[in-house]
Amino acid sequence: MSDKRAERIADFIAPLRVKPGSKVHLNRDFDPRYKAGLKKRDGAGLLRTGVSLLAEYQDRLAAQDTYGVLLCLQALDAGGKDGTIRHVMSGVNPQGVRVSSFKVPSAEELDHDYLWRYARRLPSRGEIAIFNRSHYEEVLVVRVHPENLLRQKLPDDTRGPDIWRRRYREINHWERYLTDNGFKVVKIFLNLSKEEQRTRFLKRIDLPEKNWKFSAADVRERQHWAEYQQAFSQMLSATSTKWAPWYVVPADRKWFVRICAAAILAHTLMDIDPQYPDVGKKARRELLVTKRELEREAPAGAPADPYADRHPKARKKHR
């Protein structure tokens, strides 16, 4: 990382990173209300800084057209995924970002392997793709609700107790394949407490403008809270790798979630350190010829190059 800002960001997000090979007990190891000593009044300024960094590095990423970035967001209902995407990506060029949400698989999707529908939404080079829920649903929801596994039409001899260990291995290998081909994978789990989820559900009921976001099915899913916590812990333990790490972001404070998510994504882009392409000497000579032609077209009394006239540093670079 060439930018010194990257060192400060790396220090900030270090407590959130799941060390590869470690055994995670979610309730014990990560506090949903952790806020790194920050106060809410500091949040807006920090988020603006993070968004500014993202905009800067996303522009370089698109211009270089060599790397792509996949950001996976996982959380329970009301965890804040939508709001995180909306705020963190507010300053980037929408042409370079694609968001995919994965709901119940269709009949066509069930006729393919379980990673097929996710592979179809991977980023192009120069692009950031965000999975609002991701391929990790296949070891979370499908595990908590085994009836979903039956719908996947797997051969009988592949549905044994080893299936989850096998899927962890397959996902790790798939993500390694992606990173080896220039597509960085970064994964964020929004760690919400049960009480905060209850509060947010009640808010969706109490406020008419939030009613549309509420589903009784979400409340029924709370009955499986303990099972999900176990599934999350095993997923984090088995699939946080050096090439595709997991970050557990405390989600009880929305303002802190957004700062963390911006910092994690900025860290990923700064680690890539994309550069604007060098057009080469021949192309540069051609640009200078065109520049002189345009300068000759300047109206009387107008500077030959208004931009260079306002930015002396740019004038020096072109000499």
Side-chain angles (χ1 to χ4, degrees), residues 29-206:
D29 299 333
F30 295 96
D31 180 3
R33 296 194 62 76
Y34 171 78
K35 58 176 182 175
L38 299 178
K39 296 182 179 180
K40 186 175 182 178
R41 64 172 177 264
D42 304 319
L46 291 169
L47 182 59
R48 282 195 298 271
T49 299
V51 169
S52 177
L53 278 172
L54 287 179
E56 174 188 342
Y57 277 86
Q58 182 218 11
D59 193 53
R60 293 196 208 173
L61 185 79
Q64 190 183 60
D65 198 31
T66 301
Y67 292 92
V69 174
L70 172 62
L71 171 62
C72 299
L73 280 177
Q74 286 292 150
L76 286 170
D77 298 306
K81 299 185 301 299
D82 293 342
T84 298
I85 294 169
R86 184 170 63 253
H87 285 82
V88 171
M89 308 309 292
S90 60
V92 302
N93 185 340
Q95 290 182 316
V97 179
R98 179 155 48 91
V99 180
S100 299
S101 297
F102 296 97
K103 307 295 184 183
V104 176
S106 66
E108 180 188 18
E109 290 168 342
L110 289 170
D111 272 339
H112 292 81
D113 67 271
Y114 71 93
L115 290 175
W116 181 77
R117 66 173 180 156
Y118 306 102
R120 299 176 73 204
R121 304 299 297 169
L122 288 171
S124 304
R125 298 191 191 279
E127 185 180 49
I128 298 172
I130 301 175
F131 283 1
N132 185 345
R133 299 188 187 273
S134 70
H135 45 290
Y136 284 96
E137 293 291 282
E138 307 298 334
V139 293
L140 293 170
V141 175
V142 177
R143 185 169 190 175
V144 173
H145 297 283
E147 63 273 17
N148 291 324
L149 194 60
L150 295 176
R151 297 178 63 231
Q152 294 186 351
K153 307 177 184 179
L154 296 173
D156 291 341
D157 60 353
T158 67
R159 291 203 302 264
D162 191 51
I163 186 171
W164 309 117
R165 189 179 299 110
R166 189 177 74 240
R167 284 197 171 184
Y168 294 147
R169 183 183 69 244
E170 291 165 350
I171 288 172
N172 286 341
H173 288 172
W174 186 57
E175 290 174 350
R176 183 60 185 263
Y177 164 79
L178 293 175
T179 58
D180 285 348
N181 282 275
F183 296 93
K184 299 294 184 179
V185 181
V186 61
K187 304 173 297 197
I188 297 177
F189 172 65
L190 304 183
N191 186 26
L192 186 70
S193 70
K194 192 173 185 179
E195 175 58 18
E196 179 63 21
Q197 187 194 54
R198 186 181 76 90
T199 300
R200 293 182 187 181
F201 281 165
L202 287 169
K203 182 179 180 180
R204 292 179 179 184
I205 296 172
D206 292 339

Side-chain angles (χ1 to χ4, degrees), residues 259-319:
I259 294 170
C260 293
I264 292 166
L265 186 53
H267 172 78
T268 302
L269 291 171
M270 296 169 88
D271 192 36
I272 295 172
D273 195 23
Q275 302 295 317
Y276 292 111
D278 185 350
V279 297
K281 292 183 179 179
K282 181 179 179 181
R284 185 70 199 147
R285 286 195 297 270
E286 293 173 353
L287 287 174
L288 291 175
V289 170
T290 302
K291 174 180 168 66
R292 286 192 288 271
E293 292 175 356
L294 291 170
E295 288 174 337
R296 287 194 291 269
E297 294 178 11
D305 185 340
Y307 179 81
D309 190 64
R310 294 192 299 268
H311 301 83
K313 290 183 179 180
R315 187 186 303 118
K316 291 180 180 179
K317 287 181 181 179
H318 292 314
R319 287 176 179 172

